[in-house]
Amino acid sequence: SSGINAEYGHPHKLTRQSCHVSCLNTCIDVRNMFICNQTWFPKILEQCQEGWVNNIVVSGIKSSNKDENLKLIRKLNSSCNIIEVVGNSFIGAEGIEEICALDSFSEPPLPISRHLTAPGWYSLKYLPSPPFLNINYISLRFDGDLCKARFMAHLKSLHQKEGRVFVDRLVMAGSIFYLCGRTKFSEDRNVYSIESTPRSDAISLNVVNKTLPKDSQNTFIFTGYQITEKQVRAWLQGCVPRPPGKKEIYSKSSLTSEEKGMLMKEAGKATLPEGWFYNGSQYVSMMGDKRTEHPHYDQILKKFLEEKNREIEEFNKQVEQFKIISLFDGM
């Protein structure tokens, strides 16, 4: 009703007279209808009340429980149109045309329903009831870039956690229902705008093409049930770049089959020591020694391992010097 109040209660008479509401639409994701058991998320019922909406766009539908979901939503408002959207897909052209063709918000019996469900709405005396649950919002600003791979993995983990909550229908303090914001990733220079609904695994990730003030690039807003700033700070801190694990020192047993083949080929090009010859299957010395590997193979292997381990030691030194950034130092 607040959107309608904004029109009917506009301080400028000309603006009130020139505005006309053709139809109102609301969207429901069936995976985000219940907060627990058969308890609806706050404000969903109000958003679907008769007299206030012409179309209900239903997303997240799966064939397994399609009829049950639609039947339940139909009970919320028997007079409106229901437009189905499967999964996380976009609304189709037919749905858009159906919405644009309507001009029935002011036609009976909708005004009567509005008067019955919200007495005094026309004179701006109706005040919506507050949410029955402590749904809170936490806004954070931070310094430093996130690791894209870790961030997406954290979102996936959040989806799995909230998915279990959805299946079990349990109220859990600390549940995150929605997050949005902007951030930079360490992998590139772009600033991304991000929206995610963990229970439905819906993620929107888009490059921001306009220049933003530096202090507004890394910001997030979390919406959830009894979430705390400490909780969401820890969640974001877990998305910062981390050093890779140290590599183990290379030995002969560490060689891959490709590396062994390369070393054998390199040794085969070397000149045989005096007194050695190849009989077609083995290397044989005049003293009667026999071996399948080239006599210089051990020297070539030793040189290869020394070079490989120098690279590993340098890599491990860089890992030790890697500093994990703190996103909230000085905030």
Side-chain angles (χ1 to χ4, degrees), residues 33 75 195:
M33 289 198 306
K75 289 181 178 179
E195 289 187 75

Side-chain angles (χ1 to χ4, degrees), residues 33 35 40-47 131-133 135 177:
M33 289 198 306
I35 195 167
W40 295 81
F41 262 98
K43 297 301 177 181
I44 286 186
L45 295 176
E46 288 91 333
Q47 291 175 7
F132 62 90
L133 281 175
I135 303 298
F177 303 138

